[in-house]
Amino acid sequence: MRLGDFNHLFKVSGLRRLRGGDLGLRVFAVVLAIGLWIFVNAAEQGSVAPLTVPISYRSLPQGMVIVNHPPAFVKIEVTGPRTLLSLMNPEQLTLKIDLRGVAAGQSEFKIYPAMFNVERNTAVTSISPDQLSLDIDRLVTRDVSVHLAVQGKVEPGYTITSVDITPPTVTIAGPSRYVAPLTSVSTEAFDLKGLTSDTDRSVDIVPPNPALGFSTGHVDARVNVAEAIADREFRAVDVEVKDSGFKYRVDPKQVTLTIRGPAVKLAGLAPKGMVYVDAKGVAPGSHELPLQVTLPDGMQLLHQSPDKVKLRMYREKLTTTADEHPS
């Protein structure tokens, strides 16, 4: 073999080896790309996104109300390509619960994945809670009386004579289970401490249940206050003799009185000088005369004992003071 032939053979053999190696690299690159695509696509398909989706309760029949507090959101998990999951808006997935036709009582609603309008190539795999429980009741109205709640006490010696409330009744509205048992509602406390006269105030109504509504939230209250009336017994009240020109003796010298009047005035009342016998024009001798009682304005004599006394008039002129007459 000639040297030229040998060189030509060498070149041909080297070119073949080079072409064979380039093909291998290409095959390797294609396999690598396919593997990488499969890996990335598998990772995309296997992504999970947790979402908090609002719940919309719709078409509740007129005259009905939901008594309990069902959840406002439901938590779900969605699987699918990461790119699609990242574009999901929970507001657009709002769960719509159709309440058309529900009756009073407990109603159960099962939540299924198909109820969520998720993107194609994605799927809802988890729902919490997966069931809703609604307590439904009828809405009713009723008129009830208003009771004025009070605290404290009026000033000693005074009393409450009456209470006026305007309006005396209010209309309440709400679930029948809360309205039906009510016959009255109360107000916030009206403080009576130290009152000695009629007092007007506006007071709020205290709802017995937050689910109830009222035709008005407050009423005008008037508490009428007057002096307390009491009875008091006075013992050993001295009997005086008035307008006597002679010396005298009176029997008995003291009487018992029962008087009715304002408690404060009765407490400070001194009975001295209230009971007397009128001796004007009475001649000497023995006489039985009625007792006379003088009371302050606003006082009433309920009882006296005795009603009459014996008065003996002497012929001796009265020249000394009344305190010096014979006993």
Side-chain angles (χ1 to χ4, degrees):
M1 181 179 292
R2 292 181 298 177
L3 180 59
D5 294 337
F6 181 80
N7 289 335
H8 175 72
L9 182 61
F10 177 78
K11 290 179 179 181
V12 172
S13 300
L15 180 59
R16 288 178 177 174
R17 285 197 302 269
L18 180 60
R19 289 179 177 175
D22 183 53
L23 181 60
L25 287 174
R26 290 186 178 184
V27 171
F28 176 75
V30 170
V31 172
L32 181 61
I34 293 173
L36 184 59
W37 180 87
I38 293 174
F39 174 79
V40 171
N41 190 61
E44 282 278 310
Q45 291 291 347
S47 295
V48 178
L51 298 173
T52 300
V53 177
I55 303 175
S56 174
Y57 300 94
R58 301 184 173 189
S59 302
L60 182 67
Q62 187 175 5
M64 308 295 281
V65 62
I66 300 174
V67 179
N68 64 335
H69 300 282
F73 297 90
V74 62
K75 294 183 177 180
I76 65 173
E77 289 186 353
V78 183
T79 59
R82 184 179 293 108
T83 302
L84 292 179
L85 297 181
S86 65
L87 298 176
M88 283 190 174
N89 182 355
E91 295 293 334
Q92 295 178 348
L93 300 179
T94 297
L95 176 62
K96 300 172 184 177
I97 303 298
D98 188 357
L99 302 179
R100 189 180 295 109
V102 295
Q106 294 288 332
S107 296
E108 305 293 333
F109 296 86
K110 184 69 176 176
I111 304 176
Y112 300 98
M115 300 172 72
F116 300 92
N117 187 24
V118 295
E119 295 289 340
R120 188 177 180 182
N121 297 325
T122 63
V124 176
T125 57
S126 175
I127 304 172
S128 179
D130 61 358
Q131 183 167 297
L132 302 175
S133 179
L134 272 62
D135 189 1
I136 311 294
D137 201 354
R138 292 180 295 106
L139 277 174
V140 297
T141 61
R142 184 179 186 183
D143 292 338
V144 297
S145 60
V146 180
H147 168 72
L148 181 66
V150 299
Q151 67 179 18
K153 296 181 179 181
V154 296
E155 193 73 10
Y158 291 82
T159 186
I160 297 174
T161 58
S162 63
V163 173
D164 300 321
I165 299 176
T166 306
T169 63
V170 295
T171 301
I172 57 176
S176 62
R177 70 188 66 181
Y178 301 139
V179 173
L182 293 178
T183 58
S184 66
V185 291
S186 295
T187 67
E188 63 181 0
F190 189 114
D191 192 359
L192 304 174
K193 186 176 180 180
L195 293 187
T196 59
S197 60
D198 300 345
T199 304
D200 298 285
R201 289 178 193 159
S202 178
V203 288
D204 291 335
I205 293 174
V206 178
N209 189 294
L212 297 177
F214 294 85
S215 56
T216 179
H218 65 276
V219 295
D220 295 322
R222 178 180 179 85
V223 176
N224 299 304
V225 179
E227 291 182 290
I229 302 300
D231 298 341
R232 182 181 176 188
E233 185 179 74
F234 295 87
R235 294 177 178 271
V237 180
D238 292 333
V239 178
E240 297 184 2
V241 178
K242 293 184 177 182
D243 296 328
S244 173
F246 300 90
K247 290 185 179 182
Y248 60 85
R249 181 193 299 270
V250 64
D251 183 36
K253 298 178 182 180
Q254 295 178 325
V255 297
T256 299
L257 304 176
T258 302
I259 301 174
R260 173 172 292 171
V264 174
K265 294 178 180 179
L266 277 178
L269 182 63
K272 182 177 177 60
M274 287 195 306
V275 183
Y276 66 95
V277 173
D278 187 0
K280 185 177 182 179
V282 177
S286 295
H287 306 274
E288 188 176 55
L289 299 176
L291 285 173
Q292 298 192 47
V293 181
T294 302
L295 298 176
D297 291 340
M299 299 290 183
Q300 177 186 0
L301 179 63
L302 297 181
H303 180 72
Q304 66 181 59
S305 179
D307 293 330
K308 298 179 180 180
V309 295
K310 293 179 180 180
L311 180 66
R312 181 176 179 79
M313 302 293 291
Y314 296 96
R315 294 185 180 276
E316 184 179 358
K317 291 286 186 177
L318 185 63
T319 57
T320 59
T321 64
D323 293 337
E324 296 172 331
H325 65 75
S327 60

